[in-house]
Structure formats: C-alpha cells, structure tokens
Amino acid sequence: MTTTFDLLVIGGGINGCGIARDASGRGLRVGLAEMNDLGSATSAASTKLFHGGLRYLEYFEFRLVREALIERETLLRAMPHISWPMRFVLPYHKSMRFDSTTPTSKLLSLAMPWMKGRRPAWLIRLGLFLYDNLGGREILPGTSKVDLKAGPEGKGLVDKFAKAYEYSDCWIEDSRLVVLNARDAEARGAKIMPRQKVISADVVDGIWHVTLRDMDSGAEQVVTAGMVVNAAGPWVGDVLRGTLRSNGTSGVRLVRGSHIVTKRLFDHDKCYFLQGTDGRIIFAIPYETDFTLIGTTDADHQDASIKPECTAEEQDYLINFINQYIAKPISTEDVVWTYSGVRPLYDDGASSATAATRDYVLQLDKSRGAPALNVFGGKITTYRRLAESALEKIQTVFPAANKPWTAGVALPGGDFPVDGVAQMISDLMKQFAFLDERWATRLVKAYGSEARDILKGAAIKDDLGQDFGATLTEREVNWLIEKEYARCAADVVWRRSKLGLRLSKEEISALDIWMKSRVAAGVTAAAK
C-alpha cells in the first residue's frame, strides 16, 4: 500500500524539520525523508548561536539582521532548555583593520580615506546601537562598555586591549533543535523517516511518486505527495536538477565552516567576538564547561559528496587568529576536537565566501507538472521564519491549511520560563538524590522538563541500567532510541549530546555495539 502525503519534505536538517513541524501543525499530511541521521550535516556543524549577525550590518543586510534579532527572543521563550542568553565581548583597539571589501568599508574609504581600513570607535558604537534596537529587546540586556584592565574579561588577553564593548546573543544546541522540531512534527501527525534516501521522483497525473531507499536494509518503497519541498541543504542543487529534474537555473554556493575545540582558555562564562587583520571575525565561546569553541572559517567547498573536514590550514588559521588576542598562545596540541560543516548558501555571485549572502531564497517550481519548493540558504536563527515563509508558498497549493502558529510555542521539554533553568536543576536534584549538580545540569540543558520523565521511578543510580560513562546511562540511551531517532553511538555522543568529548574510544565503541544490538532487537520485535 502506497503512503500518501500532501507534502513530502526532502532533507532532515533544521529547515526541513522546521517546515515539517509548521506544516503538520496547520493540518497538512506531512512526510519527511532524510538519507542519514536527522541534523547530521550542516545543522550539526554550526557555531551554535542564535544571533542577529552583527557582521552582516557591514553588508547592509538590515532585513536579515532585524528578522534574526526578533527571532532570538521568540525562540528563547520556546526552548529555554537548549537555548540561553550569553554575553559577547568585542575587544577594540584603534589600530585594528577591517574587511576593505564590504559596503561599509567602501563608503568609509570615500568619506574618511585617512582611516585606511580602520573603524573609528563611534562607528562600532553605532553598529552596536543598531544591533540593540533593530529587533527590539525584552529579555536580553543591551550593549555596555568593558574595562579590560580591571575586569575578568581582560585577563588572558594581550596587553594592548584596554577596552571592549559587550552585547547579547544566544546559545543554541543545534542538533537537539533539529530533533525536537522533528519530534514535535511527529506528535502533530507527520511521518519522520530518517535514513530513507530519495532515489527518484516522477510526476503521474499531477502527483509526485517518490521512491525511497532504506539506507540500512536497502528496501525500497514508493510514496506519493501533492507537493515536495527540497530542503536538502548542501544537496539542494543535486536534488533540484538530478532527482526532481527541474529546469531551474538557481544555484547554491557551498561554503565550508570549520571549528576547533580546545581546553578552556578563559576563567569566565562570556564569549569573545574577535576581528582579524584579514577583515574576518571569529568567536571564542565557553563550551561544554571545560572547553572553548573557536570558529568559524569561510572557504568554498566544491562538492557536497565530499565530507567536510577541518583542514590543517584551517586549524592553523584559527590558532593564529586567536593567538593575536590571547597572552598565552595555543598550538595544535591544545586542540581536542575539530568539526566542519557546509553551508548551502544561495549563489548571489558574491566575490568571496565571506561576502555571500546568508539570507534565504525560496523558489516555487511547477515545471514538472506538480509543485516543488526549493529552499536555498538560510541560517539557524531564522529557521522558524523561513518555515513560515515556506508555508506562505505552500498554501498557494493547499489554501485550506491553517494559519501560522509556531511563534513562542514550546518545543518538547521547553514548557517552563526562560529564567527557570536553575530552579529546575535544583528541583531535579531534590527529586533524584543520586544526581550531582553537573549531571543534573546536563540533563536539564538537554531535555528540560522531560528530564523527569527519563529518570522516572529511579531511586538510585543503578536503577538507570548500564553505565556507559560520563553520566550516560541505559535509561537515557533507550530514550534517545525510542523518542529521538538515535541508531548508533555517533548519533548520541556527537549530535544528541557532546559526550564524545568525555568518553574514550573504547567506551564509544562499546556503546555502539550495545545500541546496534538494541536497535536490531527492536526492529525484529516490530516485524513479528
């Protein structure tokens, strides 16, 4: 029997899962097919920020920045367990050079040629004033000045930096964001199909007939849909021209962004927004309590089929970049992990990867005789608004679909106040006395109010079953398998969490063997 959908979403990254959630909540019959694990490509390799994009102001991307700034607080209210406010320190020195190719640079060079690529302090303050006010703020504090000679923010930096500006943005657990959107879509009726690759798509009498292949068993099935959404991320161009066989001419520009993770470099919980001599910026962010996340690079990536990796050159670039700021230089020996992702940006013909637009473009194509919506670009902060914009186009095909609904609606586990994390951690420790603060914090910042459901009925630690290390237990892994689509150790320790930073290779291997046995047993039982 063929499964029939109104809408089939191709791609289980944040845009695909966000669209599936929104469409399901409007009453559409939705299917989502992802050839790998959910959020396993671009959406797992971001800089982990809900941010307006301060540097995009240099390119006069005011609409994109305003939309992203508004979204920060909308999203924060819906997911206070996996997103939280952070303060960013921007060290300033009058000798600093900036990118000479941005519209701001070109305008400044005409008006003030003697600056020779520098930015006066008043211009930095103007940019931060716009950042504070373009989107309005109710939760996040505004910009303030920082005395680096007197405050903890200056410790660890080189002496030449005496002052800085401090502003707000938000952290986001990117991979968990994807999975929680998928779960909410499923709860509203969507069929989520990870590890199902779209092999072909044909149109018969105005209906899409799409062949899916199970990437584990090789079995194939055909589903039908009134409309398809191509949200394949780095593979959007391949799906557009190869699978959907569209005549569309729009292109995607693949840009690789790499990050390094080092031992903790600063004795406070604030982030740094650092500007390089080449005009680029990087972030240095407190990460998983004991580490610092540094990134990102911008480099063109030629082929989506080539797995992105942080090259030796990119690693050296990031190390040399931050060494211009810190008093105790780091080396490759201080790097404990690297990761890299490919951003599928809309090809606007920009001269460099850094200058390419981060805005999204949605194109409705009916050339095959059935509608297809192709999604180009976007950034994690604006995923919900992208989904709403996508539904505006989808509703031209399905006019009976309901109205927009996602703004501020909590994701699973996020049904508590933005300022309620500390209280929830305290309450969890009281209810389950075997938890220490670090373990309870990890659970709350991953699962929110659902942490209680995972631990339900446990009086002692042993009640949670096998201990896989680093506070990861059988009870939690079973939850991830049954509720969050996890199938192997990498899904758990590098996407649903970052416990791979704390587990040994042997521990991860043992977890992988256990999970695959557990998944196989579950599949066998379901088949009987």
Side-chain angles (χ1 to χ4, degrees):
M1 182 176 177
T2 302
T3 303
T4 301
F5 302 111
D6 295 322
L7 197 70
L8 177 68
V9 180
I10 303 173
I14 188 53
N15 289 335
C17 290
I19 291 170
R21 179 194 183 217
D22 194 329
S24 299
R26 299 193 196 208
L28 296 179
R29 296 171 299 168
V30 177
L32 181 145
E34 161 58 44
M35 64 181 176
N36 297 307
D37 182 29
L38 298 175
S40 59
T42 303
S43 297
S46 76
T47 312
K48 326 295 183 191
L49 298 177
F50 275 156
H51 66 122
L54 181 60
R55 75 177 184 86
Y56 304 149
L57 292 176
E58 286 264 325
Y59 294 90
F60 299 160
E61 294 255 26
F62 297 115
R63 189 210 64 79
L64 174 63
V65 174
R66 182 175 185 275
E67 181 174 273
L69 289 172
I70 293 171
E71 278 297 283
R72 289 182 313 179
E73 296 197 4
T74 300
L75 297 172
L76 187 58
R77 289 185 175 95
M79 53 197 80
H81 50 329
I82 61 169
S83 181
W84 50 87
M86 300 186 84
R87 294 290 280 173
F88 288 74
V89 178
L90 193 164
Y92 177 78
H93 190 274
K94 63 181 180 181
S95 67
M96 294 169 66
R97 292 293 195 274
F98 295 79
D99 187 351
S100 61
T101 65
T102 69
T104 297
S105 290
K106 292 176 181 178
L107 186 62
L108 195 65
S109 66
L110 290 174
M112 304 172 67
W114 59 89
M115 293 300 294
K116 298 180 179 179
R118 296 191 296 270
R119 296 282 187 275
W122 63 262
L123 188 62
I124 302 294
R125 290 197 298 270
L126 175 60
L128 289 167
F129 174 81
L130 290 173
Y131 203 70
D132 279 345
N133 293 283
L134 268 177
R137 289 176 296 103
E138 294 181 12
I139 300 173
L140 302 175
T143 298
S144 60
K145 290 183 180 180
V146 177
D147 182 352
L148 295 177
K149 296 297 184 182
E153 300 86 354
K155 292 181 180 179
L157 299 183
V158 293
D159 289 340
K160 79 171 187 177
F161 295 105
K163 69 177 181 178
Y165 300 98
E166 184 179 295
Y167 68 95
S168 292
D169 266 322
C170 297
W171 176 263
I172 179 61
E173 297 287 353
D174 51 6
S175 297
R176 294 207 55 72
L177 175 66
V178 176
V179 169
L180 295 183
N181 269 271
R183 279 187 58 200
D184 202 47
E186 185 174 62
R188 298 173 191 277
K191 184 174 183 179
I192 306 298
M193 299 174 284
R195 295 174 174 83
Q196 295 282 329
K197 184 175 182 178
V198 174
I199 301 301
S200 63
D202 297 294
V203 178
V204 180
D205 296 329
I207 300 295
W208 287 101
H209 290 243
V210 182
T211 301
L212 306 179
R213 177 180 297 158
D214 188 301
M215 298 304 286
D216 294 327
S217 70
E220 294 187 358
Q221 63 170 315
V222 175
V223 301
T224 62
M227 182 177 186
V228 296
V229 174
N230 174 13
W235 295 271
V236 63
D238 296 341
V239 171
L240 174 67
R241 280 175 280 277
T243 308
L244 303 181
R245 301 199 302 278
S246 169
N247 295 321
T249 58
S250 295
V252 63
R253 182 170 189 164
L254 302 180
V255 176
R256 185 176 65 253
S258 295
H259 301 76
I260 62 175
V261 176
T262 71
K263 61 185 180 182
R264 187 177 179 115
L265 299 180
F266 306 101
D267 292 327
H268 56 78
D269 60 359
K270 294 180 181 179
C271 314
Y272 289 94
F273 178 108
L274 306 177
Q275 302 162 90
T277 56
D278 61 354
R280 292 214 67 254
I281 66 100
I282 65 168
F283 295 101
I285 306 172
Y287 189 60
E288 295 292 316
T289 307
D290 301 316
F291 306 96
T292 297
L293 171 64
I294 302 167
T296 179
T297 60
D298 272 327
D300 285 311
H301 191 80
Q302 299 304 317
D303 189 345
S305 66
I306 299 174
K307 183 180 179 180
E309 294 182 352
C310 181
T311 65
E313 292 77 15
E314 287 176 306
Q315 189 171 180
D316 288 342
Y317 173 83
L318 292 172
I319 289 171
N320 292 333
F321 196 131
I322 197 165
N323 280 346
Q324 297 173 44
Y325 280 85
I326 57 178
K328 293 181 179 180
I330 61 171
S331 68
T332 54
E333 294 180 355
D334 297 299
V335 177
V336 299
W337 183 48
T338 68
Y339 69 89
S340 187
V342 175
R343 308 181 193 98
L345 306 181
Y346 181 71
D347 191 355
D348 61 352
S351 59
S352 69
T354 300
T357 182
R358 267 54 177 177
D359 210 344
Y360 55 82
V361 175
L362 307 173
Q363 294 186 341
L364 186 60
D365 179 11
K366 298 183 179 180
S367 63
R368 288 289 310 280
L373 180 67
N374 298 293
V375 180
F376 298 91
K379 56 200 296 284
I380 198 165
T381 313
T382 53
Y383 89 89
R384 192 197 65 83
R385 284 291 295 118
L386 181 152
E388 284 191 336
S389 297
L391 264 295
E392 290 176 7
K393 294 183 178 293
I394 290 167
Q395 283 190 294
T396 64
V397 179
F398 300 103
N402 295 326
K403 296 179 180 180
W405 64 275
T406 58
V409 176
L411 288 174
D415 51 343
F416 62 95
V418 171
D419 60 356
V421 173
Q423 185 62 52
M424 182 164 289
I425 293 169
S426 175
D427 291 345
L428 197 68
M429 291 173 65
K430 290 177 183 177
Q431 186 174 353
F432 303 97
F434 55 84
L435 295 177
D436 60 23
E437 185 173 5
R438 188 162 182 155
W439 189 358
T441 298
R442 182 182 74 77
L443 291 175
V444 168
K445 288 197 169 186
Y447 306 104
S449 60
E450 291 188 325
R452 294 190 297 266
D453 299 328
I454 295 173
L455 301 175
K456 188 176 180 180
I460 59 174
K461 179 182 175 182
D462 289 349
D463 290 337
L464 300 177
Q466 186 171 338
D467 183 353
F468 294 104
T471 71
L472 182 66
T473 65
E474 182 177 340
R475 181 81 69 87
E476 183 178 354
V477 176
N478 277 330
W479 173 278
L480 294 172
I481 292 172
E482 295 167 7
K483 302 280 190 181
E484 298 195 2
Y485 318 100
R487 292 293 177 268
C488 65
D491 298 347
V492 170
V493 305
W494 293 119
R495 286 184 284 279
R496 308 306 187 276
S497 75
K498 292 298 180 287
L499 291 175
L501 291 167
R502 305 186 187 282
L503 293 168
S504 68
K505 290 182 180 179
E506 293 74 19
E507 288 172 322
I508 294 174
S509 179
L511 172 64
D512 198 52
I513 293 170
W514 187 92
M515 285 186 66
K516 287 177 178 176
S517 174
R518 168 73 173 77
V519 169
V523 170
T524 302
K528 291 181 178 179

